[in-house]
């Protein structure tokens, strides 16, 4: 922080929206140097977020430089597609109008900016962010590629260490954190996370795991040539399950690894000898990784005397279209119950709760 503020002076600013950014402001204050803070007011934030903005301004004696979306663009979007079009066709268009374009305007007045990105926030898109970089997407006041430097001072800091720091310094935080919210964005696109879920899963929960960036940090999303990517957006090594790059998960003697033929046969059986619980997963998916412990624990509890089988089927890559058309795959992970002695359709686990108790309640209600 000291190096960034010393080098760029009044031409650098902290991008503020959440807990990590409060830590950045506190770090900036500790350097004793003057600093600027800006934030994006999308018009769709939670009341608690606006209360946080006010509390931070009063605590540090600063004025946050708010950036707003263009009123004409917002009006055109809402009039043509409604207030909640992102639930139907994805969040990117709304984020582009309400967040990305206002950010672009803000950065055109700077030579550098400071973000609160951490590597462990989103393993799918942020695992390789550096502490300092030439911004790969946006331009600074001088214009052109390379005209903006992006600092990510807490890139290598763990989330629990950020929170230990915030508690120690007794600084303002968003009251939504106490209600189960971890990653907080606009109100319609943010919800609390549940046991067994990754923190980023509370954002745009109706979309696939790889889409969890709004465009502010678009440079984190690696671009690959079309011929190197399959229909799932994965490199061929991921699609083929290259163990050197994507270690498998849900590894337990009590979790049966089903092949394509195995799960096809299981689905066709009308008189199963025992009920089955099967997770459709992708080992690279952070939300599958987050539930691994609870699913393996469930399998261990069900092993032996219950007469219940627990399995897994890797449904990414070339298996994804089959899983979507034949196994009700929506997004990863999808959990299916195959009833015993029945020709009833397979039952899809409807809840986002992936802790052991919730999964066990689902199993007990059906078997």
């Amino acid at each position: 922080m000291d190096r960034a503020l010393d080098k760029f002076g009044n031409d650098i600013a902290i991008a503020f929206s959440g807990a990590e950014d409060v830590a950045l402001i506190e770090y900036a204050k500790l350097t004793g140097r003057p600093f600027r803070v800006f934030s994006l007011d999308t018009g769709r934030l939670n009341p608690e977020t606006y209360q946080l903005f006010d509390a931070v301004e009063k605590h540090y004696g600063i004025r946050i430089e708010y950036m707003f979306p263009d009123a004409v663009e917002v009006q055109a979007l809402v009039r043509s597609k409604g207030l909640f079009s992102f639930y139907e066709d994805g969040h990117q268009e709304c984020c582009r109008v309400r967040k990305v374009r206002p950010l672009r305007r803000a950065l055109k007045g700077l030579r550098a900016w400071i973000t609160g990105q951490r590597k462990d926030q989103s393993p799918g898109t942020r695992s390789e962010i550096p502490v300092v970089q030439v911004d790969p997407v946006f331009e600074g006041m001088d214009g052109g590629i390379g005209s903006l430097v992006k600092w990510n001072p807490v890139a290598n800091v763990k989330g629990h260490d950020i929170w230990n720091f915030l508690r120690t310094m007794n600084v303002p935080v968003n009251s939504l954190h106490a209600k189960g919210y971890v990653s907080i964005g606009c109100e319609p696109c943010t919800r609390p996370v549940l046991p067994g879920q990754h923190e980023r899963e509370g954002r745009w929960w109706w979309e696939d795991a790889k889409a969890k960036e709004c465009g502010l940090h678009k440079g984190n999303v690696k671009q690959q040539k079309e011929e190197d990517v399959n229909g799932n957006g994965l490199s061929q090594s991921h699609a083929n399950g290259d163990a050197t790059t994507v270690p498998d998960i849900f590894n337990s003697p009590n979790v049966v690894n089903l092949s394509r033929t195995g799960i096809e046969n299981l689905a066709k059986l009308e008189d199963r000898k025992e009920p089955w619980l099967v997770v459709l997963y992708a080992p690279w998916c952070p939300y599958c990784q987050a539930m691994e412990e609870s699913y393996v624990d469930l399998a261990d509890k069900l092993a032996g005397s219950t007469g219940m089988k627990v399995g897994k089927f890797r449904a990414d890559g070339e298996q994804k279209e089959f899983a979507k058309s034949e196994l009700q795959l929506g997004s990863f992970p999808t959990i299916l119950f195959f009833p015993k002695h029945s020709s009833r359709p397979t039952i899809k686990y409807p809840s986002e709760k992936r802790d052991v108790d919730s999964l066990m309640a689902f199993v007990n209600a059906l078997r």
Side-chain angles (χ1 to χ4, degrees):
M1 286 297 298
D2 188 72
R3 183 177 176 187
L5 295 174
D6 177 49
K7 185 173 181 64
F8 289 97
N10 199 49
D11 293 333
I12 190 171
I14 299 167
F16 169 57
S17 65
E20 289 80 9
D21 310 316
V22 178
L24 294 176
I25 294 172
E26 180 68 19
Y27 285 135
K29 178 187 175 185
L30 293 173
T31 69
R33 299 184 185 278
F35 59 91
R36 296 169 59 189
V37 179
F38 75 92
S39 189
L40 308 177
D41 184 350
T42 66
R44 303 296 294 269
L45 302 177
N46 289 280
E48 292 87 348
T49 300
Y50 290 113
Q51 292 164 6
L52 172 65
F53 289 166
D54 182 63
V56 166
E57 286 189 325
K58 290 176 179 176
H59 183 84
Y60 291 101
I62 61 174
R63 278 285 175 260
I64 298 172
E65 301 170 26
Y66 296 103
M67 300 299 296
F68 299 89
D70 181 88
V72 174
E73 288 186 345
V74 173
Q75 179 175 284
L77 174 63
V78 173
R79 285 185 175 181
S80 64
K81 304 186 75 172
L83 285 167
F84 299 98
S85 60
F86 37 82
Y87 291 139
E88 303 297 329
D89 57 14
H91 71 272
Q92 296 294 343
E93 183 178 18
C94 185
C95 285
R96 186 163 54 248
V97 170
R98 294 181 181 272
K99 299 176 76 172
V100 178
R101 288 174 182 163
L103 175 65
R104 192 178 300 278
R105 294 200 310 270
L107 297 179
K108 284 293 288 183
L110 301 170
R111 287 193 169 90
W113 63 310
I114 302 170
T115 86
Q117 292 187 100
R118 304 188 330 267
K119 289 180 179 178
D120 66 344
Q121 278 175 326
S122 185
T125 59
R126 300 187 178 183
S127 60
E128 298 180 13
I129 55 172
V131 171
V132 61
Q133 64 187 132
V134 173
D135 196 299
V137 176
F138 297 101
E139 298 180 3
M141 64 172 64
D142 295 329
I145 297 174
S147 60
L148 186 70
V149 177
K150 185 175 183 179
W151 296 77
N152 309 298
V154 294
N156 298 313
V157 181
K158 300 296 183 183
H160 63 84
D161 290 325
I162 289 286
W163 276 97
N164 287 339
F165 176 74
L166 294 173
R167 293 187 187 100
T168 299
M169 305 308 290
N170 194 28
V171 297
V173 295
N174 198 317
S175 61
L176 288 174
H177 290 301
K179 301 176 182 178
Y181 292 78
V182 182
S183 178
I184 301 172
C186 291
E187 187 277 333
C189 302
T190 305
R191 67 178 182 179
V193 292
L194 299 164
Q197 290 186 306
H198 185 274
E199 66 178 79
R200 201 70 175 165
E201 203 164 353
R203 304 287 293 277
W204 309 295
W205 58 89
W206 62 93
E207 297 184 5
D208 281 344
K210 286 184 71 64
K212 304 293 186 177
E213 292 287 357
C214 60
L216 303 186
H217 304 295
K218 185 179 179 181
N220 295 341
V221 181
K222 293 182 179 180
Q223 302 298 317
Q224 294 174 288
K225 293 180 181 178
E226 184 176 352
E227 60 268 25
D228 293 334
V229 179
N230 64 22
N232 196 41
L234 293 173
S235 68
Q236 198 60 41
S237 64
H238 282 200
N240 293 336
D242 184 348
T244 61
T245 56
V246 188
D248 201 15
I249 56 177
F250 304 119
N251 297 314
S252 166
N254 295 317
V255 178
V256 180
N257 188 11
L258 293 166
S259 65
R260 165 78 172 262
T261 302
I263 199 162
E264 283 180 325
N265 290 338
L266 179 62
K268 291 175 184 175
L269 281 175
E270 294 187 357
D271 188 21
R272 301 180 190 94
K273 291 185 178 205
E274 58 272 309
W276 281 75
L277 190 73
V278 178
V279 61
L280 310 182
Y281 74 102
W284 48 263
C285 170
Y287 314 122
C288 297
Q289 296 166 8
M291 72 162 283
E292 180 179 18
E293 182 178 353
S294 59
Y295 193 73
V296 170
D297 191 12
L298 176 73
D300 293 343
K301 290 178 184 296
L302 291 172
S305 60
T306 64
M308 178 89 192
K309 294 285 190 182
V310 177
K312 64 177 184 177
F313 174 68
R314 181 168 177 173
D316 62 340
E318 61 187 20
Q319 305 297 345
K320 188 174 184 183
E321 288 307 312
F322 158 73
K324 288 171 68 175
S325 62
E326 303 297 328
L327 299 174
Q328 307 179 61
L329 175 67
S331 59
F332 297 119
T334 292
I335 301 170
L336 303 176
F337 182 85
F338 295 84
K340 176 183 178 181
H341 294 317
S342 175
S343 58
R344 285 183 298 163
T346 302
I347 302 167
K348 183 177 180 179
Y349 181 58
S351 175
E352 293 291 336
K353 295 182 179 180
R354 300 181 191 128
D355 59 292
V356 176
D357 291 340
S358 297
L359 292 171
M360 186 66 83
F362 173 68
V363 169
N364 287 338
L366 295 176
R367 63 184 172 139

